[in-house]
Amino acid sequence: MMEWLGFSCLLLGVLLWPSSTQNVVPGTALNCCEGDILLLLDSSGSVSSYEFSRLLHFLSELLLPFSLGRGQVRAGLLQVGTEPHLEFGLDAHSTQPGLQGALHRTRQLQGDTNTEAALRQAQGLLARAGAGDELELPKVLVWLTDGVHPGMVDGPMAELRRAGVFLLAVSTGHGNYQVLQRVVTPPIESHLYFVDIDDISIITEDLREAIIELIHVERLRVVQVSSHSAMLQWRPVLGSNTDFYSFLHYSSVLPGGGQPNGGASSGGQYHRRTLPGDASWVELSGLQPDTIYTASLTPNSQSNHDYLNTLSVTFTTQPEVLSPAVVTVADSGPDRVRVSWGPLQTEHVQRYQIEYGALPSGQVHTVRLHGHQNSTLLTGLEPDTQYLVTVSALYSTGKEKAMSVKACTQEVLPALADLQLTPVGRDAVQVRWWGHDEGLRGYWLNWERGETQSPSRPAFSCLYLPPDSLSTLLTHLAPSSRVCVSPVYRMARGLGLCCTARTQTAELFQRRVSRPDGGVGVDSLSQRMVNTLPQCFPLPDTEARGPSPWDCSRTPQAPQDPPD
């Protein structure tokens, strides 16, 4: 027995040691929090009338600083007796005067301590409270008991914890410590309190801080930040047309490395503005890169007599990314390449300078462009040559930044030397051609078939042949069918020839194999078709319905690549 008393004294000494803020009486309404607080109050006959009145006064002080209502804090009171009694629900009071009046009018139930039944009702209340909410708000149950015969509470308490409810307990007795420490949500040192009823006020601040820790929300938050700007959002807390916000932001770290401590006179970059009461966001511009900023927002309400807390947030702008940060090369041909760069910073870059020359020691050429441009086409280049391209940005501040890449032009691919069509019967032709052997991978043939599903939808065929093939027989050709043959090299197709079976008029066309959408190139396609049967494909509907791509009256166009 003496050992238990010694343990109790030691426990009380640890749990009830006063903090430096216990004597502070809050004078502002906390708009820091959002969530549900259900108070489970022992109202049975084991609690004296004096104890009950002290508990109600304690709850009044505990809840006094909170802003109430949806989007803020909702509080409900459930009394424990022979049968549980809901004194008021979570949506009953949205103002402090209403809540304080309800607590003042609360009467004790007396009777037995049926905590288990009250916990079952609490489960239903908290489950219904979150139904339909877009966000899952935190829920807190605060159990106030004298510790006498708490009943079989382990099961219902465990179900509440599994449902995500935070459980805190205050006991004015010195028994059942083992039960209470099992049911509360850890950490026990901030969620479980044993205190004499006459000294219960000394735990008000500590318990409130524990609740705030559970239901705290960031009401002023940074939703977007760059090197020179930031966007801040907050949950609206003002309602009247006469309400307004006082907004202030300043750099916490000055260019010299110091911190502002005395306003503008100390060198701090302060900026103040007034925002309307219905505002919920603000964009900050003209910020310095890689700098710590603190922003504060003070709500000013003409209709709410409570003073609203000043909201604040600290953020760091991103390091400045100077253009050019990336340089790319595309659309390479035998005599040209397209160079692009980014990011585009029209407000800061006056002009770009592009210098290029053939490696290792070719003549350097220079192109100057306005600061709003981010690409250019370099022409007049030598085929099959590697170039060094340097993109330099001149900023309005006088700063310069440059980035270099290597670009290669394509080799000039030999054209098909000759193409002949010899009619064989009514709808067949013998096709013969001659090409250049150097680097040749094969030949690509295209022609219009005679069998069509619709006169307005001609059918086209294609055929890939190995490099040693110099002729083939095509049958079932359409009248005046056009036959095209082009040589295939490692990187692209060379210049091909097209002949019409009726007129045998030859024309040149050039077909590039690399597709801008990243499709199959000729090299990989030809390799595949050498090892498999020839693959045929119809032209897209947009071309099949229009003029034939093999019409001699217009410049011949190369056929589309077959699908994968």
Side-chain angles (χ1 to χ4, degrees):
M1 183 64 178
M2 293 300 295
E3 292 179 355
W4 165 245
L5 289 175
F7 173 76
S8 299
C9 294
L10 178 60
L11 179 65
L12 286 170
V14 172
L15 294 177
L16 301 183
W17 191 259
S19 69
S20 60
T21 61
Q22 285 175 350
N23 295 325
V24 177
V25 177
T28 60
L30 295 173
N31 54 357
C32 66
C33 305
E34 184 176 4
D36 298 332
I37 303 174
L38 182 59
L39 307 168
L40 189 65
L41 177 61
D42 191 346
S43 186
S44 65
S46 64
V47 178
S48 67
S49 299
Y50 171 75
E51 289 177 322
F52 189 77
S53 64
R54 292 284 296 170
L55 288 171
L56 289 177
H57 180 73
F58 169 73
L59 293 178
S60 174
E61 290 187 337
L62 179 70
L63 300 177
L64 181 60
F66 290 105
S67 300
L68 303 177
R70 285 196 172 270
Q72 304 283 347
V73 174
R74 298 190 300 177
L77 177 60
L78 180 61
Q79 295 198 70
V80 178
T82 303
E83 295 294 334
H85 172 69
L86 181 63
E87 188 67 27
F88 52 85
L90 295 170
D91 286 315
H93 302 290
S94 59
T95 65
Q96 278 294 337
L99 175 64
Q100 296 299 324
L103 289 172
H104 181 72
R105 293 188 298 270
T106 300
R107 297 293 177 263
Q108 188 174 359
L109 299 178
Q110 301 292 338
D112 296 332
T113 309
N114 192 353
T115 309
E116 185 177 357
L119 287 173
R120 297 296 181 189
Q121 185 169 343
Q123 285 179 324
L125 290 171
L126 293 173
R128 290 192 297 272
D133 290 340
E134 294 184 4
L135 298 176
E136 184 68 24
L137 299 178
K139 298 176 177 60
V140 179
L141 185 141
V142 181
W143 180 23
L144 298 101
T145 177
D146 62 355
V148 179
H149 305 301
M152 304 296 292
V153 298
D154 292 76
M157 288 289 193
E159 292 180 18
L160 284 167
R161 287 197 305 273
R162 284 194 293 269
V165 179
F166 298 101
L167 304 177
L168 287 71
V170 177
S171 176
T172 58
H174 305 306
N176 294 304
Y177 172 76
Q178 299 296 330
V179 174
L180 294 175
Q181 74 165 352
R182 285 199 306 268
V183 300
V184 298
T185 303
I188 295 176
E189 56 269 20
S190 59
H191 291 175
L192 175 59
Y193 300 85
F194 284 87
V195 61
D196 188 85
I197 192 63
D198 290 322
D199 300 321
I200 194 170
S201 61
I202 67 175
I203 68 169
T204 303
E205 285 291 328
D206 290 335
L207 180 58
R208 186 189 297 122
E209 289 299 322
I211 295 174
I212 290 174
E213 185 70 23
L214 298 174
I215 62 176
H216 175 77
V217 293
E218 292 185 359
R219 293 198 169 273
L220 181 62
R221 60 194 182 99
V222 180
V223 295
Q224 184 178 339
V225 63
S226 65
S227 56
H228 294 280
S229 65
M231 180 173 290
L232 278 59
Q233 284 185 349
W234 59 88
R235 294 172 180 261
V237 295
L238 299 179
S240 172
N241 293 332
T242 60
D243 296 346
F244 64 94
Y245 294 99
S246 298
F247 186 80
L248 164 71
H249 73 89
Y250 59 89
S251 59
S252 298
V253 178
L254 301 179
Q259 287 188 322
N261 53 20
S265 61
S266 66
Q269 299 176 3
Y270 284 80
H271 300 272
R272 302 176 186 269
R273 69 178 80 173
T274 299
L275 304 173
D278 59 352
S280 61
W281 62 274
V282 65
E283 184 175 6
L284 311 181
S285 59
L287 306 182
Q288 295 299 316
D290 200 17
T291 302
I292 301 174
Y293 284 87
T294 296
S296 62
L297 184 73
T298 303
N300 298 275
S301 175
Q302 305 297 321
S303 57
N304 190 345
H305 296 293
D306 292 327
Y307 291 98
L308 298 172
N309 274 357
T310 294
L311 312 177
S312 63
V313 66
T314 298
F315 63 93
T316 303
T317 51
Q318 296 180 359
E320 186 170 23
V321 178
L322 296 179
S323 180
V326 58
V327 177
T328 59
V329 177
D331 300 336
S332 175
D335 62 345
R336 65 192 59 201
V337 293
R338 177 167 294 278
V339 181
S340 303
W341 56 89
L344 193 60
Q345 297 175 330
T346 57
E347 296 180 357
H348 307 288
V349 178
Q350 289 185 337
R351 69 172 185 269
Y352 289 101
Q353 179 171 289
I354 294 83
E355 298 174 292
Y356 60 98
L359 293 174
S361 57
Q363 181 182 357
V364 177
H365 303 272
T366 302
V367 177
R368 292 180 175 85
L369 301 172
H370 293 292
H372 63 269
Q373 294 182 254
N374 64 347
S375 70
T376 187
L377 184 65
L378 305 180
T379 59
L381 308 181
E382 295 295 325
D384 196 20
T385 302
Q386 188 179 61
Y387 282 82
L388 180 65
V389 181
T390 301
V391 180
S392 304
L394 176 62
Y395 283 78
S396 55
T397 59
K399 184 185 299 184
E400 291 188 28
K401 183 184 179 183
M403 176 173 283
S404 299
V405 296
K406 292 180 180 179
C408 296
T409 54
Q410 295 183 2
E411 60 180 324
V412 177
L413 302 176
L416 194 70
D418 194 12
L419 175 62
Q420 295 181 0
L421 302 184
T422 303
V424 180
R426 188 183 63 174
D427 60 354
V429 294
Q430 184 73 35
V431 185
R432 293 183 176 86
W433 60 89
W434 290 266
H436 299 272
D437 295 336
E438 184 178 356
L440 186 66
R441 293 296 183 92
Y443 295 97
W444 191 261
L445 281 71
N446 295 271
W447 70 95
E448 184 181 346
R449 297 196 309 269
E451 310 91 347
T452 61
Q453 297 178 353
S454 170
S456 63
R457 296 172 61 87
F460 295 92
S461 293
C462 67
L463 178 65
Y464 178 83
L465 295 174
D468 57 352
S469 298
L470 297 178
S471 68
T472 188
L473 178 65
L474 302 180
T475 60
H476 305 292
L477 271 69
S480 301
S481 175
R482 193 167 202 183
V483 179
C484 293
V485 180
S486 56
V488 178
Y489 299 95
R490 183 177 64 88
M491 295 299 295
R493 295 184 196 176
L495 291 173
L497 291 173
C498 292
C499 291
T500 303
R502 178 177 52 123
T503 63
Q504 298 190 6
T505 301
E507 293 178 302
L508 288 174
F509 78 96
Q510 185 175 13
R511 174 67 172 140
R512 294 192 54 209
V513 172
S514 56
R515 283 163 38 185
D517 62 355
V520 176
V522 165
D523 185 38
S524 59
L525 178 62
S526 63
Q527 197 66 33
R528 180 178 67 192
M529 297 190 66
V530 165
N531 299 324
T532 61
L533 292 175
Q535 180 181 0
C536 297
F537 66 97
L539 285 177
D541 291 344
T542 54
E543 294 191 14
R545 287 194 293 265
S548 170
W550 312 116
D551 190 350
C552 294
S553 62
R554 67 186 186 122
T555 303
Q557 301 291 327
Q560 299 291 317
D561 282 339
D564 295 342

